[in-house]
DNA sequence: CCAGACGTTGTT
DNA sequence: GTCTGG
DNA sequence: CCAGACGTTGTT
DNA sequence: GTCTGG
């Protein structure tokens, strides 16, 4: 699954990589411990234009009464997108890509949870497949909130050592197909949400400082060092 | 028909 | 809003 | 995802 | 145990 990730990139680099223009004025700060509820950069397509915007991590269904409705919609299972009421409609027309440099998974060992940092080998920047939604507060005059969720799929071979799920990730050449809001070919869209190739994943253990979302510095991705080795 | 849920993961 | 359960 | 709080009244 | 905050 995917509940924390890393983003260390400038807005300029994002524009260049995705050929996207920012919606409004905002800045991007590098964060080595991105946690749910933060507003993070996403790539969406409007018409034939790619846009960069910041949405909130944790999808809020458009019909929700309250922003904290008790749901935990930070991930969406690829296998059941069309069956789940909260995801069926965004899957049809509100697909997005969440840029990340890597992500964390916790491996259960006995009673312990051991954090690991995972990256792709070939690409410095990962394209998480996601869905977004726009939620309008009931109170008049309050700004709508756009939010997103990261799609998960079966873990590939290396990641299955840590966990049985992993985020769905896209090739650069698949982005046009995924982002096109006019694309209604859900069968081929689902085909994009496969486990990532085994030979393009690497990971290593990191220190427990990442456990607290209050920490966000670059030392969090330093390899774990046993004090007694 | 109306009421109530609408999510994932992990653990039991 | 839309689907499921009663 | 994990960490941390989880409560009220009255007094300083 | 469960919810909120980061």
């Amino acid at each position: 699954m995917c509940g924390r990730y890393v983003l260390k990139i400038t807005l300029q680099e994002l524009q260049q990589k995705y050929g996207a223009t920012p919606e409004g004025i905002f800045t991007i700060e590098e964060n080595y411990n991105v946690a749910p509820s933060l507003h993070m950069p996403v790539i969406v397509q409007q018409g034939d234009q790619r846009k960069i915007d910041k949405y909130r991590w944790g999808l809020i269904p458009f019909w929700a009464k309250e922003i904290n409705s008790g749901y935990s919609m930070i991930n969406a299972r690829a296998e059941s997108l069309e069956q789940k009421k909260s995801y069926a409609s965004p899957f049809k027309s509100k697909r997005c890509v969440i840029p990340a440099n890597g992500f964390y998974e916790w491996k259960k060992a006995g009673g312990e949870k051991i954090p690991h940092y995972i990256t792709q080998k070939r690409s410095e920047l990962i394209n998480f497949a996601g869905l977004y939604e726009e939620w309008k507060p009931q109170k008049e005059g309050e700004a709508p909130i756009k939010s997103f969720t990261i799609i998960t799929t079966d873990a590939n071979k290396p990641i299955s050592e840590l966990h049985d799920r992993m985020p769905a990730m896209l090739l650069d050449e698949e982005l046009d197909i995924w982002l096109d809001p006019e694309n209604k070919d859900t069968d081929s869209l689902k085909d994009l949400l496969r486990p990532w190739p085994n030979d393009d994943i690497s990971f290593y253990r990191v220190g427990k400082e990442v456990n607290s979302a209050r920490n966000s510095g670059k030392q969090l991705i330093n390899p774990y060092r046993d004090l007694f080795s």
Side-chain angles (χ1 to χ4, degrees), chain A residues 18-202:
Chain A
Y18 292 103
T21 53
E23 276 292 277
I25 300 158
F26 60 84
T27 56
I28 295 174
E29 284 162 28
E30 63 177 24
N31 187 339
Y32 290 78
N33 202 356
V34 177
S37 82
L38 294 184
H39 280 76
M40 294 302 295
V42 300
I43 313 296
V44 296
Q45 186 175 324
Q46 292 172 7
D48 53 5
Q49 296 253 300
R50 282 189 191 169
K51 302 283 185 184
I52 304 174
D53 206 345
K54 276 166 115 175
Y55 294 175
R56 185 186 207 262
W57 186 7
L59 188 138
I60 306 163
F62 69 97
W63 41 258
K65 299 251 185 321
E66 304 288 331
I67 188 166
N68 284 332
S69 42
Y71 303 120
S72 158
M73 305 176 81
I74 66 171
N75 294 130
R77 292 179 66 91
E79 300 87 334
S80 53
L81 292 179
E82 292 165 295
Q83 284 75 49
K84 301 294 180 181
K85 289 188 271 295
S86 302
Y87 299 142
S89 135
F91 180 50
K92 280 184 203 147
S93 57
K94 290 188 167 64
R95 295 177 299 272
C96 64
V97 164
I98 301 97
N101 296 89
F103 59 100
Y104 300 99
E105 296 282 7
W106 280 260
K107 178 190 170 92
K108 281 239 161 103
E112 263 195 316
K113 289 175 178 173
I114 314 241
H116 294 74
Y117 182 58
I118 304 166
T119 56
Q120 290 181 357
K121 287 182 185 168
R122 277 182 40 241
S123 175
E124 182 78 6
L125 199 60
I126 299 174
N127 306 308
F128 287 149
L131 306 175
Y132 70 95
E133 188 59 278
E134 182 168 356
W135 179 78
K136 293 194 173 72
Q138 308 219 297
K139 282 189 209 161
E140 196 66 29
E142 287 185 16
I145 296 177
K146 289 181 173 172
S147 58
F148 71 90
T149 189
I150 296 173
I151 298 174
T152 64
T153 188
D154 282 328
N156 66 9
K157 191 83 186 307
I159 290 178
S160 66
E161 189 185 316
L162 307 175
H163 231 289
D164 61 349
R165 305 291 295 172
M166 69 179 291
M169 310 188 284
L170 302 170
L171 296 166
D172 290 338
E173 52 267 36
E174 294 170 335
L175 297 186
D176 278 332
I177 297 169
W178 178 255
L179 290 174
D180 179 5
E182 302 303 318
N183 186 355
K184 308 297 180 194
D185 186 354
T186 50
D187 284 344
S188 62
L189 286 167
K190 275 189 292 183
D191 283 343
L192 301 178
L193 308 174
R194 292 162 300 204
W196 199 250
N198 293 333
D199 63 6
D200 192 37
I201 287 290
S202 60

